[in-house]
Amino acid sequence: MIEEQTKSYTKKQIFKTLHPWVQKWFDSQFDDFTPAQKKSIIDIHKKNNILISSPTGSGKTLTAFLSVISELTSLAENDKLEDKVYCIYISPLKALDNDIEKNLEEPLNGIEKIAGKKLGIRKAVRTGDTSQYQRQKMLKKPPHILITTPETLSILLVAPKFREKLSHVKYVIIDEIHSLAENKRGVHLSLSLERLQHLIGNYTRIGLSATVSPLKEVARFLVGYEYGVERNCKIVNINYLKELDMEVMCPVSDIVLADEEDTRLGMYDLLDDLIQENKTTLIFTNTRSGTERFVYNLKKMYPMNYNNSNIMAHHSSLSKEVRLETENKLKEGKLKAVVSSTSLELGIDIGYIDLVVLINSPKSVARALQRIGRSGHRLHEKSKGRIIVTERDDLVECSVLLKNAKEGKIDKISIPTNCLDVLAQHIYGMSIENPWDIDYAYDVIRKSYCYKDLTRDDYEDVLSYMAGEYPELEERYVYAKIWIDYKENTFGKRGKLARMLYSTNIGTIPDSSGVLVKCDGETVGKIEESFMERLKKGDTFVLGGRTFRFNYGKGMTINVTPASGPPTIPSWFSQQLPLSFDLAMDIQRFRSHMETRFEYRRSKEEIMEFIYDYLYVDDFAANSIYEYFVEQYKYAKIPSNRCLLIEYYTGFGGRKFVIFHSLFGRKVNDALSRAVAYVVAKRYNTNITISISDNGFYLSSDGTIGGLESFRQLTPENFERILASSLNKTETLASRFRHCAGRSLMTLRRYKGESKSVGRQQVRGKILLKFVQEMDDNFSILKEARREAMEDYMDIKNALKVINMVASEEMEIKTIDTVIPSPFAFNLVSQGYLDVLNQNDKGEFTKRMHQAILDQIKDKLKDIY
């Protein structure tokens, strides 16, 4: 049973459960326990499973370890500490692992000083970076606290000598569980935890999380099921004890009327002021390229304030050494500012931060709270964050996001289920441990939250693939990894190299590298693989200020030819974080409230009053939001959660656009746009260009599109089938299949000490995909590639909600013809053109379009002012 922990214990009650030396050490460091500790330590002592969700800096890590350290201290005092692992700590980041090891030194050394003797409690990090010498040392003297990653844990489960050392594990702590639960690393970990439980029996599971929702689902993910019934777990939910000091800031008084250059300079001036007012500022951009750009421009524009020694960048493309140097300098308080993409979101100890600045929308409430929670790292201290916005869609988005953050409304995470590629990898791992009974293995697998609904058919299909029961695959060098004895109903490993193959190809994170772009045999630059996935033959995009047409891809190289005209795929697409569906729906509700007030002919004063009441914004921001909405209302209609607006517009050269004002987030729009485009292409036999954003999507063509009729063809019954069909010959499916083939060991990334390059994996993946599609269109790994594309990469679940809302008439559809794109469509349509314009032209273009709309609606505006 999953239940919220309501009981809070006193310091006296907690001390009764702790060893006297641990009590003394705690008293020398702290006045009292934090709220999270008061609700958790005794339950951990009682060996209850627990999920602790509380803000960064609220002592979560010590909460998890205190009972463990206390127990180890008692054993050490009585000379009963054996050479076994008692506690496993798992985190998603190697950097966090190293941090934890350092942070454990303080209590362990402090307790030894109080004891007046060596206690010999050992802790050690074991990851892919651990040297062979260190590993051997661990076998002779295993750490009592093992600090590791999900991938290394699954390797240890098949290491015969180390497995013995795990037989006494009593606690498993999973840190930053929210960041694992929403992807395949979490799925992989959930199966490892069940295999560990099968190996050693029950142990206490402790999950540590920052702000996350829904907590009950994350708790179920943590503890799993016992024959269909969820295991017991207490949830400790400490809500924002640190009050949030958050503001949305605008660098100029009117975002639209301001020059692009004025906005840019205003933003840097505002950023510089904020940095100078504080001792240490952490700045988050949403992309790695943005991170580099901000560091470069701050140093260039304010040479008196910034240099190489007081401002640094931190992102995943930088070398480990550079990242470590930045983290250490930050901890030592030597840096005035650090600019990061997403790499400093998780709980690496980075010392004291006064202020967190977010450049543009973080796209979800949870991410905003996670980032802003990095500031004010002392208990009961306010977390201080500022979000700087530079355009109107972002302004509305961030204002609603801020409202939700202050009111504790957090977007829900989605946990992937029934991933057949991860299952294949684990079946191989299980077969290496020992032969298994097929039915018993099925029961163990279904104890994982992620596989509780796994069908027997899917399970047997994966077994069949792993056992080489598709002889055609041998032609493509895919060989059997296990044997099955149907008489005895058992399976086991095949071949002497099984453990080596498994250990060197484990994990769920696909290899990736930049994709080379070649034009007439010459390399013109690199794009990201995720950007390549969007490309279809004939698409045009901008690279280094020039437009190119995509011809074909081979491995990690694509062939292009020069092109003219606006690009069909905006180049900024690939790195952007997607807007969460929950936040998107809340923005739609705000739109609906605004429309109602215009319909009832409320005055500007009344509507401004409503904006102040509803959102937490300043005068600049409120005025910009009002102007934006009044223009949309007078010129077109306001799309909202009650109305899906479809806008027909003819662009330059007679090109037709059908714009869907579907503010549901990019993952949902990806699914909807592909399905509609597929119907259009089938009906009218025409080439369709798609462009999507969080706020909507457009289809564009020289021929007939028929947007409304085509959208009406999508029903709750046929949507999934149409979307699956639309994926068949795309780079998206090819790329997902390559990743799934790697995880399921169809493609070995490493073999006998040699690594296969990403390019070779890509080529092999495409050949295999074509082969598998012809062999059996329902083959388990192909099925998984489709599931991953539709459920994880896109968001079919919420796209179906939208289709149902339209079918049930909960959301009506309205259409409109426009001469100039409406204000809400402007960002989406102009993006294609703006990619080929330089900065100054962009500003000019924006102002001209805005003026044209004002001219169109000036008579209508007189009614309001």
Side-chain angles (χ1 to χ4, degrees), residues 123 132-133 162 206 225 258 334 349 374 421 492 535 562 696 714 747 775 796 798 832 854:
K123 43 142 183 70
Q132 198 56 45
Y133 167 71
F162 207 93
I206 304 161
Y225 286 66
K334 290 179 180 170
D349 180 14
R374 303 300 273 150
D421 51 352
L535 301 172
L714 303 176
T747 302
M775 178 187 83
I796 188 171
N798 285 317
L854 289 180

Side-chain angles (χ1 to χ4, degrees), residues 575-716:
Q575 288 187 331
Q576 286 279 28
L577 301 165
L579 177 69
S580 75
F581 181 73
D582 294 342
L583 179 55
M585 290 308 289
D586 284 332
I587 299 167
Q588 297 249 40
R589 284 182 200 102
F590 171 67
R591 284 180 170 188
S592 183
H593 290 315
M594 288 291 281
E595 189 193 34
T596 305
R597 280 159 178 78
F598 287 127
E599 289 291 329
Y600 284 113
R601 303 183 72 77
R602 297 278 184 258
S603 68
K604 178 173 181 178
E605 283 69 32
E606 287 174 299
I607 296 176
M608 288 287 280
E609 201 54 50
F610 161 71
I611 295 172
Y612 287 129
D613 279 352
Y614 194 80
L615 303 171
Y616 301 84
V617 289
D618 62 10
D619 294 352
F620 277 3
N623 189 59
S624 284
I625 290 171
Y626 175 79
E627 295 294 344
Y628 191 24
F629 274 78
V630 85
E631 284 171 27
Q632 177 70 23
Y633 177 72
K634 289 296 176 186
Y635 182 65
K637 292 180 173 73
I638 294 180
S640 67
N641 59 324
R642 298 180 307 182
C643 162
L644 174 64
L645 181 64
I646 300 177
E647 181 175 342
Y648 293 88
Y649 155 72
T650 304
F652 300 138
R655 192 167 177 83
K656 295 181 181 66
F657 289 83
V658 180
I659 302 153
F660 290 78
H661 289 264
S662 51
L663 200 170
F664 303 115
R666 210 177 60 228
K667 288 170 84 164
V668 170
N669 286 338
D670 200 348
L672 293 174
S673 63
R674 284 176 197 253
V676 180
Y678 183 77
V679 172
V680 172
K682 275 268 200 245
R683 281 183 73 180
Y684 300 106
N685 195 22
T686 179
N687 255 343
I688 296 289
T689 294
I690 307 173
S691 186
I692 63 172
S693 74
D694 286 313
N695 290 19
F697 64 90
Y698 72 64
L699 305 179
S700 138
S701 170
D702 292 330
T704 311
I705 299 179
L708 175 61
E709 311 85 82
S710 302
F711 190 78
R712 290 264 187 221
Q713 298 282 307
L714 303 176
T715 66

Side-chain angles (χ1 to χ4, degrees), residues 193-304:
L193 294 176
E194 292 312 328
R195 284 169 58 193
L196 181 66
Q197 181 131 343
H198 156 75
L199 187 68
I200 65 168
N202 287 338
Y203 53 85
T204 305
R205 303 183 189 210
I206 304 161
L208 306 179
S209 174
T211 314
V212 68
S213 171
L215 271 173
K216 278 198 169 173
E217 286 306 297
V218 179
R220 289 184 187 107
F221 167 79
L222 169 69
V223 297
Y225 286 66
E226 201 66 57
Y227 298 104
V229 180
E230 62 194 29
R231 295 189 182 110
N232 292 338
C233 185
K234 295 267 179 84
I235 294 175
V236 171
N237 184 14
I238 305 295
N239 260 329
Y240 321 104
L241 290 169
K242 299 177 172 188
E243 286 177 54
L244 291 168
D245 172 7
M246 282 169 77
E247 270 178 49
V248 173
M249 302 182 90
C250 226
V252 286
S253 58
D254 188 321
I255 295 179
V256 174
L257 293 177
D259 217 77
E260 183 96 7
E261 188 61 8
D262 288 349
T263 307
R264 192 180 83 86
L265 294 173
M267 178 180 63
Y268 278 106
D269 280 344
L270 176 56
L271 190 55
D272 177 47
D273 288 346
L274 289 170
I275 296 170
Q276 294 308 319
E277 283 164 18
N278 293 280
K279 186 172 177 288
T280 310
T281 303
L282 175 58
I283 300 150
F284 281 103
T285 66
N286 288 340
T287 63
R288 282 168 292 196
S289 55
T291 297
E292 293 291 357
R293 189 170 66 248
F294 273 89
V295 173
Y296 174 79
N297 285 339
L298 283 167
K299 284 195 287 202
K300 190 174 143 194
M301 293 164 74
Y302 312 95
M304 302 297 287

Side-chain angles (χ1 to χ4, degrees), residues 55 148 244 280 373 419 454 538 552 733 754 785 820 833:
T148 190
L244 291 168
T280 310
C419 307
L454 177 72
Y552 61 86
L733 184 65
E754 278 191 31
I820 302 151
Y833 296 116

